[in-house]
Amino acid sequence: MSDSTPGQRGPRILLIEDERQIRRFLRISLTSQGFEVVETEHGNAGMAAFNRQRPDLVLLDLGLPDMDGMEVLDALRAQSEVPVIVVSVRASEAEKVAALDAGANDYITKPFGVQELLARVRAALRKATPGTAGEGLSLGDVIIDLAGRRVTRHGESIHLTPREFSVLAALARQPDRVITQHQLLSDIWGPVHVHDTHYLRIVISRLRQKLGDDPDAPALIQTEAGIGYRLLLR
């Protein structure tokens, strides 16, 4: 395991990845942007490093030599809400949904571009303003008041149905994080509707229309095809 600290410490990232070349590539890419990197190739060592180093974010491979990365994710989520980005060669929708439902903040499939990775890291580290999760969120000309169950655009109130507001609120409570279709449908429509994805598509379409979000180039609600949706912070 190595620990890089160039100058004043930036956000600390724990990298749990068994491929040496990928670890080296990620370490160079991240440290060049001011991040401190702690790295390990095993899941058990990764958990020990997590408890010792208290990183600000975890980059987690799923194919580890000593245990499955999903076990590491479960162990992390049992004790912490630290942002976790899965970086894996497993590309199926089922794998992505399982990881996101288990608490991963994001999922990147190998091979990937460094700029995409850095953007995902910055998004996962971005902190909501104080009180955002419990009170409201400002997204340019759109204001979401969670406590008051009120949404405005350009200062004008937008009428949302209870279900539309519930979907928007679920996304707003975890901005810049992918919320899976399964989770949204289960939480809002109920467990018997987890496969009724057309319900969700209709609500998302209506939300985009009411919020002035172009479906061809969304600036507010981003679709992760076959997986779920993400509310973008501006």
Side-chain angles (χ1 to χ4, degrees):
M1 184 173 69
S2 68
D3 189 342
S4 302
T5 315
Q8 184 177 0
R9 184 177 95 79
R12 178 177 290 154
I13 295 178
L14 172 60
L15 172 59
I16 307 176
E17 165 64 62
D18 69 326
E19 294 186 47
R20 184 184 301 272
Q21 289 184 333
I22 293 180
R23 287 205 313 274
R24 181 177 182 275
F25 166 70
L26 290 174
R27 181 177 67 249
I28 292 172
S29 300
L30 291 164
T31 55
S32 71
Q33 298 297 308
F35 296 106
E36 178 184 356
V37 177
V38 176
E39 60 182 81
T40 178
E41 61 181 313
H42 293 94
N44 284 316
M47 286 304 305
F50 176 82
N51 291 324
R52 184 171 59 254
Q53 300 285 350
R54 291 300 170 186
D56 300 295
L57 180 141
V58 178
L59 291 175
L60 173 65
D61 185 21
L62 295 182
L64 300 171
D66 61 333
M67 61 193 299
D68 191 88
M70 289 294 290
E71 296 178 71
V72 178
L73 178 58
D74 288 342
L76 287 170
R77 281 293 167 259
Q79 61 179 291
S80 173
E81 286 301 312
V82 66
V84 177
I85 299 179
V86 170
V87 182
S88 176
V89 72
R90 303 178 189 176
S92 73
E93 288 184 3
E95 293 277 9
K96 294 179 182 179
V97 168
L100 292 165
D101 274 343
N105 293 67
D106 212 338
Y107 194 112
I108 301 177
T109 305
K110 301 176 184 177
F112 53 86
V114 64
Q115 293 305 317
E116 177 189 5
L117 174 81
L118 291 171
R120 299 287 185 95
V121 167
R122 287 191 295 268
L125 287 170
R126 191 179 298 133
K127 301 298 184 183
T129 54
T132 289
E135 297 175 8
L137 193 66
S138 177
L139 304 168
D141 55 21
V142 174
I143 308 295
I144 304 170
D145 178 1
L146 295 175
R149 297 185 62 84
R150 185 168 179 262
V151 179
T152 61
R153 181 181 175 216
H154 299 301
E156 299 290 330
S157 292
I158 298 174
H159 173 71
L160 299 181
T161 66
R163 194 148 278 164
E164 289 168 354
F165 184 84
S166 294
V167 171
L168 184 60
L171 298 175
R173 289 188 182 100
Q174 301 184 74
D176 269 334
R177 177 173 178 175
V178 179
I179 310 299
T180 64
Q181 297 177 11
H182 181 279
Q183 183 177 341
L184 289 167
L185 287 164
S186 178
D187 291 349
I188 297 169
W189 277 268
V192 298
H193 293 290
V194 293
H195 300 297
D196 295 328
T197 55
H198 59 288
Y199 290 174
L200 191 52
R201 285 197 299 270
I202 291 170
V203 168
I204 293 294
S205 176
R206 289 175 178 167
L207 281 172
R208 284 179 172 148
Q209 182 179 21
K210 292 180 179 182
L211 298 175
D213 197 23
D214 183 354
D216 296 323
L220 286 176
I221 303 175
Q222 181 184 67
T223 300
E224 294 288 341
I227 299 172
Y229 300 91
R230 182 199 314 260
L231 188 70
L232 299 171
L233 286 177
R234 295 183 175 182

